Amino acid sequence: MVSRRNFLAAAGAAAALTAGGKALGACGGADGLRAVACAGGRRFGAAASTPVLGREPALADLYARECSALTPEWELKWAQIQKTPGQFHFAAIDRLAAFARRHDMILRGHTLLWHLDMPDWLIADLGRDTWARLIERHIHAVCGRYRQDFFCWDVVNEAVQTEDGRSDGLRDSPWLRAAGPAYVETAFLLAAEAAPGVRLVYNDFGLAGSSQWVRGRQTAVLRLLERLRGRDVPVHALGMQAHLRVGDEYDQRVMADFLREVEAMGVRPVISELDVTTDRVEGAAAKDAAAARLARHVLDVVLGETACDTVVTWGLADPQSWIRRRRPEARPLPFDDNLRPKPLYEAIRAALAAAPPLPA
Ligand code: XIL
């Protein structure tokens, strides 16, 4: 509670709070997660992909019932949307946006700059004199097209990689090699210009936890946010991907301390890609129970201690999960292979129901 007050009082927080904070996505009549989240002033959503929704009507219905927010799983990634220089392919994301509109959902924009899914031409063209122009063209074209549909943008994704050995913890990516650290700030400024009033998010993995590796990443992200906020760069939210793994360390106090520091900068934490890996647990029932316990443990801190208003899972049902491609036995998502809710579903539901309501 204290941290929530700090957050609301933090200098500059008011502007950050309202940016993109209004549009909740309709609550939905049924008692799905979207309704439970909405009752507390939050939204629940999941990543979705256009072809899967198109060919699986039962799954599409499940999205409509459960989600007030959708994240495109791949449709906005650079290699999909700008396969060739300056030519934009909007057909797939247009279909997803139409689905979202039909079901009163809002979209999370994922993602404008990432070191993966970059087309070869882009990697070849990125240089000291070209990077700013390339980023500007992309952000203006993509953000500019979808002003009403997107309530936030993951402007920069996964810019931190402490293993790369830089003192600022930034990833040695093609963006960094061309531009130095300035690309992060430039991307946020351009996004603010192209999508005024929309919430701008820095998104990364390895933040919801407490291992030494996670703590190193938390420190690097805090430094990055400090640098950006110190220069008045509009970064409104921190997307914690929350790809959790049973058996890793999740000390609630360490997580709460980190979140408090994030909020003290006027940056709102959100959960952007939740799923749970249970490779260290044997048997489907035990995996499901462990995944539910861990998700509840983490959500209780994030929802209980912060103004987090968005929980998004990375897919809704197990067969869709990106983790399944590597681990066929994985059960990382709220619904099973037959679209039946699992203990993880109940855990998310209970955490949303127990969380203190957010101010309207
Ligand atoms: C993954 C998608 O799920 C895959 O379909 C795609 O091939 C690669 O990307 N962090 C992110 C997401 O920010 O964009 C990633 O999504 C998963 C990890």
Side-chain angles (χ1 to χ4, degrees):
M1 284 303 93
V2 173
S3 64
R4 186 183 315 238
R5 265 202 307 279
N6 285 348
F7 173 61
L8 294 172
L17 246 177
T18 47
K22 304 154 287 203
L24 253 189
C27 292
D31 71 342
L33 292 179
R34 68 187 289 172
V36 179
C38 190
R42 299 182 177 85
R43 45 178 94 76
F44 174 79
S49 101
T50 312
V52 175
L53 286 184
R55 66 171 182 255
E56 295 188 31
L59 185 59
D61 288 349
L62 198 61
Y63 272 92
R65 193 182 73 211
E66 300 294 337
C67 297
S68 53
L70 279 189
T71 304
E73 187 168 357
W74 55 269
E75 288 78 351
L76 287 169
K77 290 171 180 169
W78 202 303
Q80 317 300 327
I81 202 157
Q82 200 188 162
K83 290 185 176 66
T84 46
Q87 293 198 304
F88 291 86
H89 300 266
F90 292 119
I93 185 65
D94 279 354
R95 286 211 300 284
L96 201 67
F99 176 83
R101 242 178 266 134
R102 259 198 317 282
H103 298 290
D104 285 324
M105 298 164 164
I106 44 180
L107 289 156
R108 295 195 78 250
H110 178 80
T111 172
L112 295 171
L113 293 198
W114 194 26
H115 64 286
L116 296 178
D117 237 339
M118 298 173 76
D120 293 343
W121 71 262
L122 174 61
I123 296 175
D125 279 6
L126 268 183
R128 205 157 13 124
D129 303 326
T130 57
W131 66 270
R133 197 173 37 76
L134 288 164
I135 294 181
E136 180 174 7
R137 181 173 67 185
H138 187 80
I139 289 184
H140 273 257
V142 176
C143 292
R145 183 178 172 94
Y146 295 106
R147 288 209 178 168
Q148 302 91 23
D149 298 296
F150 287 82
F151 76 96
C152 70
W153 284 97
D154 289 341
V155 178
V156 176
N157 194 32
E158 303 183 350
V160 161
Q161 181 77 340
T162 47
E163 292 86 338
D164 287 353
R166 291 174 52 96
S167 59
D168 58 10
L170 289 184
R171 177 187 296 277
D172 181 24
S173 71
W175 298 109
L176 188 101
R177 285 195 287 276
Y183 81 89
V184 179
E185 156 173 355
T186 301
F188 275 94
L189 293 171
L190 286 166
E193 208 174 273
V198 171
R199 176 184 291 180
L200 304 182
V201 185
Y202 174 71
N203 197 53
D204 216 329
F205 62 85
L207 298 174
S210 61
S211 66
Q212 211 183 349
W213 176 74
V214 166
R215 287 181 205 212
R217 295 184 56 81
Q218 289 172 342
T219 303
V221 165
L222 287 173
R223 270 202 220 117
L224 174 64
L225 293 176
E226 243 158 45
R227 189 163 61 82
L228 295 170
R229 295 294 291 174
R231 295 152 79 103
D232 277 339
V233 176
V235 45
H236 307 126
L238 172 65
M240 296 195 292
Q241 294 185 2
H243 297 294
L244 310 177
R245 186 174 181 208
V246 171
D248 283 352
E249 273 179 49
Y250 295 92
D251 182 302
Q252 287 187 325
R253 196 185 42 78
V254 172
M255 290 190 278
D257 287 348
F258 168 64
L259 293 167
R260 197 166 301 125
E261 289 198 55
V262 171
E263 288 203 323
M265 286 187 267
V267 174
R268 186 194 295 259
V270 299
I271 303 254
S272 57
E273 306 185 10
L274 176 66
D275 54 23
V276 190
T277 296
T278 49
D279 57 315
R280 294 166 173 144
V281 181
E282 290 298 326
K287 281 179 185 296
D288 288 351
R293 253 194 324 273
L294 176 56
R296 178 76 202 261
H297 179 80
V298 172
L299 286 174
D300 278 350
V301 181
V302 181
L303 298 176
E305 303 279 330
T306 80
C308 170
D309 63 358
T310 310
V311 175
V312 170
T313 50
W314 204 245
L316 206 50
D318 289 336
Q320 306 166 260
S321 172
W322 69 308
I323 297 169
R324 270 280 169 99
R325 278 174 241 154
R326 278 174 293 145
R327 304 181 193 276
E329 75 296 346
R331 306 174 59 83
L333 290 171
F335 289 87
D336 70 10
D337 290 66
N338 300 307
L339 306 187
R340 279 189 307 248
K342 299 186 336 194
L344 178 57
Y345 177 89
E346 301 304 336
I348 296 172
R349 191 184 174 89
L352 286 167
L358 291 173

